[in-house]
Amino acid sequence: MDHLSEAVAILDKNGVLTPLADLIRQVYRRAADRHEPDLGDDAMSFGTTVWRNLTNLGAAQFGGLAGVNARIEDNSLEILCAGYIVRLYSLQGGTGASVESIRWEGSEARLGGAVENSRGGQLALDDDEQFPEAFTGVVPRRRHVRVAHAGDLDTGEAVAYLGLPRDNRDGGSPWFEVQLWIGQPAHPVLVATGGSPAIPGPALPGEGPIPELEVMVRPKRRGDGVRLSALA
């Protein structure tokens, strides 16, 4: 089993992925429902709403889940489970953006996970000299998992990828492995390892019908502006 498949299986077993997928869908749909271009809303305000809602609602929702620790780090949601660290980042350019376009240099916290995943001598606690009988599985190799997400500000349809970030400051793909998780991108290209195109695999946990939202949706007035989706 590759590193990403192992991470997905463990996170799903611990009840992280399906509720996280539901939350991402709900937040994008609510943000689109509330988006009012005639009142001055634009792609930046849409992205900020999504970012803050995911951060605050996610911290509250996962904070009470057994075996999961959720917190706000670097103003973003961080979920810790079974040795894995999951963080959410937006794709600039909306649902048509390439997952390969993401960059990790935005902050120390953003880059840190990619750097740690890329270390050849990353502490895994499963080598002979590291007492495997006591620590095997405590710290998974490439334990940093990232969700790269985007959405359409008119429809609220979300797209998200799950992947293992890679330090690519010297070139190459920003991912060791990455897979489409939610939705259908405008230009569907599934990337698996090192930027190579891959054949879509089976549905990942969290892929399913979008749950109904318990919110009041009011009619909107829309201008004829260009459809954009810039995210925080």
Side-chain angles (χ1 to χ4, degrees), residues 169-181:
R169 288 174 294 175
D170 293 330
S173 173
W175 306 97
F176 283 107
E177 301 169 63
V178 64
Q179 186 169 349
L180 180 65
W181 179 34

Side-chain angles (χ1 to χ4, degrees), residues 137-200:
V138 173
V139 179
R141 290 189 184 275
R142 294 179 183 167
R143 63 180 179 145
H144 288 272
V145 179
R146 297 296 180 258
V147 177
H149 59 89
D152 188 290
L153 59 79
D154 286 329
T155 66
E157 293 298 316
V159 169
Y161 299 82
L162 276 172
L164 304 176
R166 171 183 174 273
D167 181 7
N168 68 329
R169 288 174 294 175
D170 293 330
S173 173
W175 306 97
F176 283 107
E177 301 169 63
V178 64
Q179 186 169 349
L180 180 65
W181 179 34
I182 300 172
Q184 294 296 325
H187 306 290
V189 175
L190 190 61
V191 178
T193 304
S196 301
I199 299 172

